[in-house]
Amino acid sequence: MEITAATAKATSLAALFDRLNEANGQNAWSGLDLALGFVGDVGDLVRQVQVAENIRTYPGGREALEHELADCLWSVLMLADRYDVDLAAAFEKTTTQLEARVSAKLAALAETETAASSIAE
């Protein structure tokens, strides 16, 4: 699923949650509520990663891990939508910057190793 389609599906689900909250006399989620929900989802994800790494036991297995990853993605998509962030563009920009930074550090390390090797000879 493309990011645009995933965002559309996420916002459609958010609208259903808003309707449910309204029917229960509660407010629609604010950006802060989305962020707090995301933090909770990350905690749930960490627990499932611990299960996958055989550090702890907890019900759910692989299906629970998939669910928590999807919950986290939903939260990220909703936060990006809420704050009008072009997530695909931001991801491209950030990963390009990180690739350049890491490549420069690796090149500097290689240069240091080459210089150290020349001195040792």
Side-chain angles (χ1 to χ4, degrees), residues 55-104:
I55 294 169
R56 70 182 292 184
T57 58
Y58 200 83
R62 175 79 179 183
E63 187 175 324
L65 177 63
E66 292 171 358
H67 174 91
E68 296 309 334
L69 283 165
D71 275 353
C72 289
L73 178 59
W74 180 84
S75 294
V76 169
L77 292 170
M78 290 311 308
L79 286 164
D81 184 68
R82 175 68 52 105
Y83 296 108
D84 197 28
V85 172
D86 181 339
L87 196 53
F91 182 82
E92 178 65 29
K93 178 181 175 183
T94 300
T95 55
T96 297
Q97 290 170 340
L98 289 170
E99 286 172 341
R101 188 179 313 151
V102 171
S103 294

Side-chain angles (χ1 to χ4, degrees), residues 12-65:
S12 175
L13 177 58
L16 285 174
F17 277 128
D18 288 347
R19 286 178 40 207
L20 178 62
N21 286 345
E22 183 180 294
N24 286 325
Q26 300 169 334
N27 295 326
W29 276 25
S30 67
L32 179 58
D33 293 321
L34 289 168
L36 290 170
F38 178 48
V39 170
D41 290 337
V42 169
D44 294 340
L45 174 61
V46 169
R47 181 179 54 231
Q48 292 306 323
V49 168
Q50 288 176 317
V51 171
E53 292 290 331
N54 203 29
I55 294 169
R56 70 182 292 184
T57 58
Y58 200 83
R62 175 79 179 183
E63 187 175 324
L65 177 63

